[in-house]
Amino acid sequence: MTSRCGVCCFNEARRVAIFGGTHGNEMSGIMLVNMWLKNGAEIQRSGVMTKPFITNPRAVEKCTRYVDTDLNRAFTPENLSAPSADELPYEVRRAQEINKTFGPKGSADAYDVIFDLHNTTSNMGSTLILESSTDHFTLQMVHYIKKAIAPASCPVLLNEHPLLKYSTSRSVAKHPIGLEVGPQPQGVLRSNIFESMRVIMKHALDFIELFNNGVEFPPCSVDVFKVQERMDYPRDTNGNITAMVHPDLQDCDWEPLNPGDPMFQTFDGRTIPYEGPSPVYPTFINEAAYYEKQQAFVTTRRETLAAQAISKIEQ
Ligand SMILES: CC(=O)N[C@@H](CC(=O)O)C(=O)O
Ligand SMILES: [Zn+2]
């Protein structure tokens, strides 16, 4: 990136990948990518090479989140630099292969943009996930997508948390972006979720085409939900959960949770309230994959980010 008069200049985004099956039981992304592998006409844009790719084929085959370890946590410097060996967990070997093909992570050779398609059992709608508040290219892209799908909403989750941020598959790209659409049960394909995901991808690729064609995007602001804290279920000393997400909180992703509001309900009907100091916006409420990660939901706060003007570097 270079800068002139407050405009961030980026190279054209020529190499773009769409990942599906980072989790092998999140069906909409898998089905879309498989469909585009057969016929990629709808994801083609002039001047852009868009590569659909199944990231965890063994997990997809078994329709399970992962085989040995979560691929979407595996792109750490340690894993990516480990000497290749058959004894490594399958997903670590796979992360190394993906890093070779689409990275190397952090290098000039890395893909420009990677979209990573996920589904959640939570009622999150179509959510875009960002890993950086200072990547003006992705900020402009999410601003474009939000405008394009309005009045439908498209919340943006920003995960820059020093402890809760993880090493995603998409993180090998210069501009990583996650797309999380729900609610959809694991292993189930829902047509409304599939279509929402497809529409967002259409607008995202349109944005890249406009950018490559020289359209300059003026400064704008983007409302995001910034990750604050992981909230676990109440558990007994054996680690078994002793309460459920409260019915008043279930499905209420992105709605304010105020101090004193019901949060969990014990099996004998007692309510456990939220006791934080101020309102938060919960999301990933009751995500199936997060029971093993000791997370009932994650709290966020609203923030408005400033996106600088962007333009392509003229060659
Ligand atoms: C439900 C699920 O898999 N969510 C994703 C979110 C992301 O891609 O950042 C994950 O935990 O990896
Ligand atoms: Zn996922």
Side-chain angles (χ1 to χ4, degrees), residues 22-23 26 65 70 72-73 116 118-121 129 131 157 159 166 168 170 178-180 186 284 287-290 293:
T22 289
H23 296 128
E26 297 176 1
R65 183 173 174 89
D70 194 333
N72 218 28
R73 305 290 181 277
D116 194 13
H118 290 259
N119 293 115
T120 174
T121 61
I129 309 183
E131 315 202 338
L157 180 65
N159 189 355
Y166 36 83
T168 58
R170 57 190 175 267
L179 175 52
E180 184 75 74
Q186 296 179 334
F284 278 120
E287 160 55 44
Y290 291 168
K293 298 190 197 293

Side-chain angles (χ1 to χ4, degrees), residues 21-300:
T22 289
H23 296 128
N25 54 9
E26 297 176 1
M27 302 308 284
S28 291
I30 295 165
M31 293 304 180
L32 280 170
V33 165
N34 279 333
M35 183 183 83
W36 292 327
L37 283 167
K38 277 203 198 121
N39 180 354
E42 80 178 43
I43 56 168
Q44 276 162 23
R45 297 292 184 280
S46 68
V48 188
M49 203 278 293
T50 305
K51 189 177 168 66
F53 188 77
I54 295 287
T55 39
N56 195 337
R58 278 175 61 179
V60 169
E61 196 184 328
K62 294 194 153 126
C63 198
T64 182
R65 183 173 174 89
Y66 55 80
V67 175
D68 290 332
T69 185
D70 194 333
L71 181 64
N72 218 28
R73 305 290 181 277
F75 291 72
T76 60
E78 302 74 47
N79 281 346
L80 297 180
S81 64
S84 313
D86 292 347
E87 303 81 63
L88 287 173
Y90 168 69
E91 279 84 2
V92 174
R93 281 183 281 134
R94 192 70 185 150
Q96 293 182 344
E97 289 167 14
I98 292 167
N99 188 47
K100 263 194 211 121
T101 309
F102 297 94
K105 181 169 171 171
S107 79
D109 285 341
Y111 262 54
D112 296 298
V113 182
I114 296 177
F115 297 99
D116 194 13
L117 307 185
H118 290 259
N119 293 115
T120 174
T121 61
S122 309
N123 188 27
M124 289 170 68
S126 302
T127 298
L128 295 164
I129 309 183
L130 300 187
E131 315 202 338
S132 159
S133 57
T134 55
D135 178 350
H136 298 283
F137 181 87
T138 49
L139 287 176
Q140 287 283 357
M141 176 164 23
V142 306
H143 179 255
Y144 177 91
I145 295 169
K146 273 170 158 291
K147 265 190 8 194
I149 73 157
S153 81
C154 180
V156 178
L157 180 65
L158 169 65
N159 189 355
E160 271 187 328
H161 192 283
L163 303 174
L164 298 181
K165 186 169 175 168
Y166 36 83
S167 304
T168 58
S169 314
R170 57 190 175 267
S171 70
V172 303
K174 296 192 180 95
H175 307 291
I177 182 154
L179 175 52
E180 184 75 74
V181 190
Q184 181 176 267
Q186 296 179 334
V188 171
L189 187 60
R190 288 182 57 123
S191 51
N192 60 327
I193 302 295
F194 176 97
E195 288 302 337
S196 306
M197 199 170 237
R198 188 181 197 171
V199 167
I200 300 250
M201 282 312 306
K202 173 204 149 22
H203 296 307
L205 295 168
D206 288 350
F207 169 85
I208 293 173
E209 183 174 43
L210 289 172
F211 175 80
N212 285 356
N213 285 343
V215 172
E216 199 169 305
F217 293 84
C220 64
S221 56
V222 184
D223 292 330
V224 303
F225 293 88
K226 186 171 182 176
V227 169
Q228 301 292 319
E229 198 182 354
R230 166 199 297 161
M231 302 293 285
D232 191 14
Y233 298 89
R235 291 179 193 265
D236 64 20
T237 48
N238 295 320
N240 297 315
I241 66 169
T242 57
M244 309 168 268
V245 168
H246 193 280
D248 291 358
L249 177 60
Q250 178 66 52
D251 299 329
C252 296
D253 300 69
W254 311 118
E255 288 173 32
L257 178 68
N258 297 295
D261 282 352
M263 179 169 62
F264 296 114
Q265 182 173 285
T266 63
F267 302 135
D268 50 10
R270 198 166 48 83
T271 293
I272 301 176
Y274 174 63
E275 283 177 341
S278 55
V280 288
Y281 294 84
T283 196
F284 278 120
I285 298 170
N286 210 356
E287 160 55 44
Y290 291 168
Y291 280 75
E292 67 175 28
K293 298 190 197 293
Q294 277 77 46
Q295 183 178 300
F297 60 93
V298 64
T299 66
T300 72

